[in-house]
Amino acid sequence: MSLHEATTPAFRANARAALDNANLQAALRGSRGNFITKRARAREDLPEFDALRDRARDIKDHVLAHLDLYLEAYEAQVIASGGHVHWAETAEEARAIVLDLCRQAGAKAVNKGKTMISEECGINDFLAENGIAPVETDLGEYIIQLRGEVPSHIIAPAVHVTVPEIEAAFRKAHTHLDPDRDLSDLAALQAEARGVLREKYFQAEVGITGANMLIAETGHSVIVTNEGNGDLTQSLPRMHIVMASLEKIVPTLEDAATILRILGRSATGQEMSVYTTFSRGPRRPGDPDGPEEYHVVLLDNGRSNMLATPFQDMLRCIRCGACMNHCPVYQAVGGHAYGWVYPGPMGAVLTPSLIGVEQGGQLPNASSFCGRCEEVCPVRIPLPGMMRSWREREFEKRLTPAAMRRGLGLWAFAARRPRLYRIAARLGAGLLSRLGSKTGRIASLPFARGWTGERDLPAPQRGGTFMDRWKAARR
Amino acid sequence: MSGPHVALFVTCLVDMFRPSVAFATVKLLEDAGCRVEVPPVQTCCGQPAWNSGDRENAKAIARQVIAAFEGYAHVVVPSGSCAATIARDYERMFEADDPWAARARALGARTHEITAFLTDVLGVTEVGQKAPVSVTYHDSCSGLRSLGIREQPRRLLASVAGLELREMAENDVCCGFGGTFCVKYPDISNVMAGDKTRNIAATGADMVLAGDLGCLMNMAGKASREGRAFRARHVVEVLAGDLATPPIGEAG
Amino acid sequence: MSARARILDRIRAAAAPGDRQATVAAWMAAPGGGPLPHQATSHGAQRLTQFMQKLDAAAATVGRVSALAELPKALAHELRKRKLPARIRFGDDPVFAGLDWGTIGTSRGPGRIEEPATLSRAEFGLAETGTLVLASGPDNPVTLTFLGETHFVLLREADLCGGFEDFWTAWRERGLDPRTLNMVTGPSRSADVGQVLQLGAHGPVALHVFLLS
């Protein structure tokens, strides 16, 4: 699956296929609720949690209002510590920068810690096309790389894969191991991946990681992981490349602490993830390990165009995944149905911003606006409101499907004329009431298959509309 | 009567599909001493237009509702979703310097969902009804998350003699209705509805109650297609003692 | 015009008017200002207890050592208990260099591909979350933190902080500038296989802390 061919316009078909995929459904059902319970417990255990969310929101808003200044301050610190900063306006530019750096390092293999920005830029396919082997080291990313897939979740990339599927992928890929080996338990699977990847850590010339934060005060890039793969990825090769988008900046170390206090709790319910690593520059003179070169690729790719628009608040996102963990639509269809890099509610808002509403417009429509995402968002992004704003843009650009526009137009015409509306309601209620007079419900309606395909339509009560009955009774 | 002057916003679904919900709402309000009027200039709150990105029609309908309802002390709605549209969204539809924004804000401040109005505004603690039934309560999303309605219906239900409340798993998870969502994405909506009816059935309760007819029609329609045994009613029917009216999706 | 200039120009074009330089300077000059969680404010014996409880919650183990000279004996005991070979690898930290390691075979240097046990010294600990803070460098090579099957860490009780707030202050005062500052909260883990949490994903399977009074 190539990353750049967004299948977002086919969301409906993707969703149907996902619902019919028994393995996917088993995987989704298996994980459902885990994240929710753990986050809820972590929140209960920290009375200041919601106040910290407010503070985190304020920090990010402050950064976005002064982003140019913080980027310059950050860049100066990276340079002062012996690192390099490369600015990329587009994914193409970022790819070219990374390839150039890899070639400078004489890289044949590149190890990768988990980075969604690299997914956004399609680094893996690009490096492979250019003769450099990318090796994903996050266990979940490794699994999906073997399966030729992309992540279906921003923090649990292989959440859609069942254990038997993992075993099959390992048997297919790890042909150097005994074909009769026992992989019947989870521990054996994890141990095998650990063994295979341990070798690879020592072979790559370049390590690419993402960044959860970039700290303007110090020039640190920060990664947060549980496995430790990001640390081996950046500490063993001779070059460390950080791929990060502009909005990852936070001003100070204290501000980073505020974000850390809500990040792990919102993501996995952990007070702290196992490894939080602050990296600054290359290895120091006399250091026996660590990279000799440190490069940061700062990616814009449409983000600066989101400033001062109704979608600016989306740039507060800290990529915890809580919105998708709590989203009933995501939980029903999984992340791949969304058809581009970012799934779930955050993806439904971000995707149209980055690839255009013409391509990504399905996503903000595929929401019941239940509001659970906004309720749990650690930086209080008004996700449903922003999805609604996208629908408005679509409507203005006349991208809303014609049938929908016609139906809406007809309904609104009546709704703006109460007397006409009364008559229409009376006729409609009478007709539907007669259709369902025997059972009280209607099993099939030709013009409402969307409703009656899988559920009955309760018929209107007999005796007319409320407005008619009220008028008759009271006057 | 000298109690508060209340305008009932019926909602389009209640008007057309289940007038008994509006009659039960009127009864609860009158029992609590309110003078209830039903302004004739009302159709729908405009939420379908607003949530579909059709701001112009949404604003036109909002202006119509604001003009028709601003003369009353309170506006009461038997739906958390429609109440939230009036109370929260109307103001957002207009530019800040548009005079309608201030009128929308003023109306929003006086607009309430029925169970919240009874408990929070009128201080009702008892409805004086008897109903020997076991029920489970679905928290409809807009009411829960936009208006913070959660305890109010439960407090009132607790005052119904003989009624047993059995909470379901995931009672705060969307049932898959979501307004136009259920017909725009019927496949996904159906899965969500199926999860909901399974959770309801697992409680063994006689009926599911909720404060929004849209969600109720979705849950009842799914349950009847699946042949589930539980019934579905709007919470006000139970609170007003109307168990004689056939449940949602059943013939009398 | 460079990509850098174009990006910065777009950001500036979207910015609200006002003395933004001064706002940024003021923010940077007074770091902090967020809510202070109660759990980050422990003191004295309570801080120690909290730290040990949080280590336990993070699936790490902890033992106390009354004097530095006791460390080899305590380590030997832990290695035996865990059925690990009597070998340890650590860096050039002078704290370790001066000790008599007795029967334990020692080696110096960064992490290697197979290493049953490694030892590092943490600069600080955070009672708030049971977190160890390590500074990379010749004394404590960063790879020792990730390449040992079992990672042992020495922490002086005096270096234990309540939480992030006093930690950052202490960190700045110590004036270190390592390539990496590693916060470690328990042993490595992953839930990527079947969404079931397992320890020892890439890094250590076990983490043991020696708290030095």
Side-chain angles (χ1 to χ4, degrees):
Chain A
M1 198 188 302
S2 171
L3 269 161
H4 293 94
E5 295 154 20
T7 66
T8 42
F11 175 81
R12 231 174 265 276
N14 294 350
R16 183 65 257 169
L19 293 169
D20 292 338
N21 180 338
N23 274 339
L24 172 64
Q25 291 300 319
L28 288 169
R29 302 253 155 206
S31 66
R32 183 168 168 162
N34 288 355
F35 285 120
I36 294 174
T37 315
K38 287 179 184 160
R39 176 201 172 267
R41 199 174 302 143
R43 177 172 182 254
E44 272 170 32
D45 288 348
L46 185 70
E48 300 85 358
F49 185 71
D50 285 346
L52 285 160
R53 292 167 72 190
D54 291 340
R55 175 66 182 176
R57 173 199 58 205
D58 296 347
I59 290 169
K60 296 294 267 187
D61 282 346
H62 168 75
V63 168
L64 293 173
H66 305 86
L67 188 57
D68 52 329
L69 301 173
Y70 280 117
L71 282 165
E72 287 173 330
Y74 166 76
E75 179 188 42
Q77 283 295 325
V78 174
I79 293 168
S81 64
H84 306 269
V85 178
H86 310 264
W87 301 65
E89 279 193 282
T90 62
E92 289 73 23
E93 283 182 24
R95 283 198 292 270
I97 292 165
V98 169
L99 178 62
D100 193 41
L101 289 170
C102 289
R103 283 183 172 151
Q104 281 174 36
K108 292 186 193 62
V110 170
N111 284 348
K112 295 188 61 219
K114 186 160 170 33
T115 145
M116 293 306 294
I117 296 302
S118 120
E119 300 287 344
E120 189 179 322
C121 295
I123 292 292
N124 286 8
D125 288 354
F126 184 70
L127 288 179
E129 283 161 20
N130 285 280
I132 298 171
V135 179
E136 293 289 352
T137 63
D138 173 272
L139 192 47
E141 293 275 358
Y142 178 67
I143 291 167
I144 59 172
Q145 189 182 25
L146 291 184
R147 288 166 52 85
E149 293 178 317
V150 294
S152 68
H153 188 291
I154 60 171
I155 69 156
V159 69
H160 62 285
V161 188
T162 62
V163 174
E165 289 174 319
I166 297 173
E167 180 180 344
F170 282 10
R171 287 197 187 279
K172 195 170 156 205
H174 303 158
T175 48
H176 62 293
L177 298 174
D178 177 5
D180 296 327
R181 66 194 184 280
D182 183 7
L183 286 177
S184 59
D185 67 11
L186 303 184
L189 289 168
Q190 180 160 311
E192 178 162 318
R194 178 189 169 101
V196 171
L197 285 166
R198 186 58 69 93
E199 304 250 333
K200 292 185 188 282
Y201 279 123
F202 285 85
Q203 290 161 1
E205 295 83 5
V206 173
I208 300 177
T209 68
N212 291 84
M213 288 181 274
L214 305 172
I215 302 178
E217 173 194 357
T218 58
H220 280 119
S221 56
V222 182
I223 61 167
V224 176
T225 77
N226 276 320
E227 299 183 5
N229 64 305
D231 290 279
L232 290 170
T233 295
Q234 67 169 280
S235 297
L236 291 168
R238 59 168 303 268
M239 180 188 283
H240 177 198
I241 302 174
V242 177
M243 297 192 72
S245 49
L246 306 177
E247 80 282 10
K248 290 291 183 289
I249 294 269
V250 297
T252 66
L253 293 168
E254 279 78 1
D255 297 325
T258 298
I259 306 287
L260 289 172
R261 279 171 171 152
I262 55 168
L263 175 59
R265 289 176 168 94
S266 299
T268 55
Q270 288 169 284
E271 292 188 326
M272 277 285 274
S273 299
V274 177
Y275 300 113
T276 301
T277 300
F278 295 67
S279 308
R280 182 173 191 265
R283 70 162 74 175
R284 307 295 187 252
D287 279 4
D289 52 16
E292 288 154 35
E293 288 183 45
Y294 175 73
H295 297 268
V296 180
V297 180
L298 276 177
L299 179 71
D300 182 342
N301 208 26
R303 289 167 175 80
S304 57
N305 289 328
M306 293 165 68
L307 295 167
T309 74
F311 307 104
Q312 172 171 318
D313 290 351
M314 190 61 226
L315 297 174
R316 293 203 295 256
C317 178
I318 59 171
R319 304 291 191 269
C320 70
C323 60
M324 56 198 77
N325 293 338
H326 289 77
C327 174
V329 173
Y330 177 94
Q331 292 300 325
V333 301
H336 286 158
Y338 289 79
W340 200 58
V341 178
Y342 301 103
M346 59 79 63
V349 174
L350 189 59
T351 303
S353 298
L354 300 187
I355 68 172
V357 69
E358 292 81 1
Q359 283 280 303
Q362 278 280 324
L363 305 189
N365 277 284
S367 164
S368 69
F369 283 172
C370 79
R372 232 173 157 208
C373 50
E374 181 175 3
E375 187 179 33
V376 298
C377 176
V379 284
R380 302 195 188 280
I381 300 171
L383 290 157
M386 289 159 82
M387 288 183 229
R388 208 203 54 74
S389 292
W390 275 125
R391 296 181 191 183
E392 210 164 86
R393 295 275 168 110
E394 268 196 310
F395 196 87
E396 284 162 7
K397 292 187 171 194
R398 308 189 71 82
L399 295 168
T400 313
M404 169 104 183
R405 275 188 91 89
R406 268 199 309 276
L408 205 61
L410 221 76
W411 164 85
F413 184 85
R416 293 171 67 167
R417 291 161 182 81
R419 294 219 297 208
L420 171 68
Y421 184 91
R422 286 282 88 74
I423 297 166
R426 187 179 306 140
L427 293 173
L431 176 69
L432 291 175
S433 175
R434 274 194 298 283
L435 281 175
S437 60
K438 269 199 184 138
T439 55
R441 54 186 176 264
I442 300 159
S444 175
L445 263 187
F447 55 89
R449 284 208 194 89
W451 183 285
T452 57
E454 304 270 7
R455 67 207 132 190
D456 296 334
L457 179 67
Q461 287 172 336
R462 275 178 239 162
T465 67
F466 174 78
M467 295 302 280
D468 285 350
R469 289 169 64 181
W470 179 262
K471 199 171 157 189
R474 299 261 165 160
R475 295 213 179 142
Chain B
M1 277 185 280
S2 60
H5 197 195
V6 171
L8 177 69
F9 187 86
V10 177
T11 80
C12 54
L13 286 178
V14 167
D15 175 48
M16 189 164 158
F17 282 88
R18 206 157 170 84
S20 61
V21 171
F23 285 113
T25 305
V26 171
K27 178 182 185 314
L28 287 166
L29 290 169
E30 289 182 346
D31 286 354
C34 299
R35 278 186 299 142
V36 182
E37 269 191 55
V38 182
V41 179
Q42 56 173 307
T43 59
C44 166
C45 65
Q47 190 189 108
W50 177 240
N51 281 351
S52 300
D54 181 358
R55 183 182 283 251
E56 280 318 305
N57 273 318
K59 281 164 74 172
I61 296 168
R63 282 192 294 264
Q64 182 174 291
V65 173
I66 293 166
F69 283 79
E70 61 191 350
Y72 301 88
H74 303 283
V75 179
V76 173
V77 192
S79 156
S81 179
C82 311
T85 298
I86 300 172
R88 299 277 183 267
D89 292 335
Y90 276 9
E91 188 187 349
R92 295 177 190 150
M93 293 177 188
F94 302 98
E95 299 293 327
D97 54 356
D98 186 330
W100 284 98
R103 292 171 70 178
R105 192 179 325 127
L107 183 71
R110 298 198 305 275
T111 300
H112 309 274
E113 185 272 346
I114 175 66
T115 64
F117 182 68
L118 292 173
T119 51
D120 300 344
V121 179
L122 299 181
V124 172
T125 55
E126 302 272 337
V127 291
Q129 296 295 340
K130 212 161 41 175
V133 288
S134 58
V135 305
T136 189
Y137 193 85
H138 167 69
D139 292 287
S140 292
C141 300
S142 291
L144 176 68
R145 281 179 270 268
S146 293
L147 301 175
I149 296 164
R150 185 182 176 86
E151 295 311 318
Q152 297 92 326
R154 288 178 173 78
R155 279 208 297 273
L156 295 173
L157 285 171
S159 77
V160 175
L163 181 141
E164 180 202 355
L165 178 65
R166 299 184 190 169
E167 296 288 0
M168 69 176 107
E170 301 186 334
N171 56 11
D172 62 344
V173 175
C174 179
C175 70
F177 174 63
T180 54
F181 171 79
C182 68
V183 286
K184 278 197 313 193
Y185 297 92
D187 292 347
I188 302 171
S189 169
N190 174 52
V191 170
M192 291 161 68
D195 287 347
K196 182 56 68 178
T197 53
R198 198 174 315 116
N199 282 327
I200 295 167
T203 66
D206 302 328
M207 66 178 73
V208 59
L209 304 180
D212 276 88
L213 191 54
C215 312
L216 283 160
M217 288 173 62
N218 181 46
M219 293 185 286
K222 182 68 188 168
S224 77
R225 181 64 58 92
E226 294 175 322
R228 302 254 184 214
F230 64 83
R231 309 273 174 80
R233 284 187 185 280
H234 195 289
V235 65
V236 295
E237 298 172 33
V238 174
L239 296 177
D242 176 16
L243 293 176
T245 300
I248 297 167
E250 292 186 29
Chain C
M1 214 174 160
S2 67
R4 180 182 186 278
R6 281 192 298 270
I7 291 169
L8 290 172
D9 277 0
R10 275 199 299 275
I11 297 171
R12 289 192 184 109
D19 191 349
R20 297 159 65 245
Q21 296 270 10
T23 314
V24 166
W27 188 290
M28 299 285 272
L36 175 61
H38 176 71
Q39 93 179 50
T41 59
S42 60
H43 287 283
Q46 180 213 355
R47 175 178 293 184
L48 196 66
T49 310
Q50 185 189 359
F51 181 63
M52 289 169 52
Q53 282 168 350
K54 292 288 181 187
L55 282 176
D56 182 58
T61 52
V62 59
R64 300 185 68 176
V65 180
S66 55
L68 190 57
E70 302 289 311
L71 178 63
K73 205 174 77 187
L75 176 65
H77 175 74
E78 286 297 329
L79 290 172
R80 267 198 313 276
K81 203 170 87 185
R82 293 158 193 266
K83 298 191 170 49
L84 290 168
R87 288 205 315 267
I88 193 78
R89 187 171 177 84
F90 49 79
D92 294 337
D93 200 310
V95 167
F96 302 142
L99 293 175
D100 175 6
W101 292 94
T103 57
I104 304 176
T106 61
S107 65
R108 299 277 196 93
R112 295 178 298 197
I113 192 158
E114 296 294 339
E115 204 68 67
T118 56
L119 175 66
S120 309
R121 184 178 60 81
E123 288 291 334
F124 292 100
L126 275 69
E128 177 179 356
T129 47
T131 299
L132 299 161
V133 180
L134 296 98
S136 68
D139 289 359
N140 293 284
V142 61
T143 46
L144 291 178
T145 296
F146 298 95
L147 288 171
E149 287 283 302
T150 298
H151 188 211
F152 293 96
V153 179
L154 177 73
L155 174 69
R156 295 191 194 98
E157 282 178 19
D159 289 328
L160 192 52
C161 302
F164 276 107
E165 282 74 11
D166 53 333
F167 161 65
W168 286 129
T169 304
W171 174 261
R172 288 193 183 98
E173 276 170 12
R174 202 163 281 187
L176 300 171
D177 180 26
R179 140 84 188 155
T180 57
L181 177 170
N182 296 89
M183 295 189 170
V184 177
T185 312
S188 161
R189 67 199 64 188
S190 174
D192 280 337
V193 176
Q195 307 307 308
V196 176
L197 194 66
Q198 298 185 78
L199 297 184
H202 293 284
V205 175
L207 173 68
H208 183 83
V209 180
F210 296 110
L211 263 175
L212 178 65
S213 331

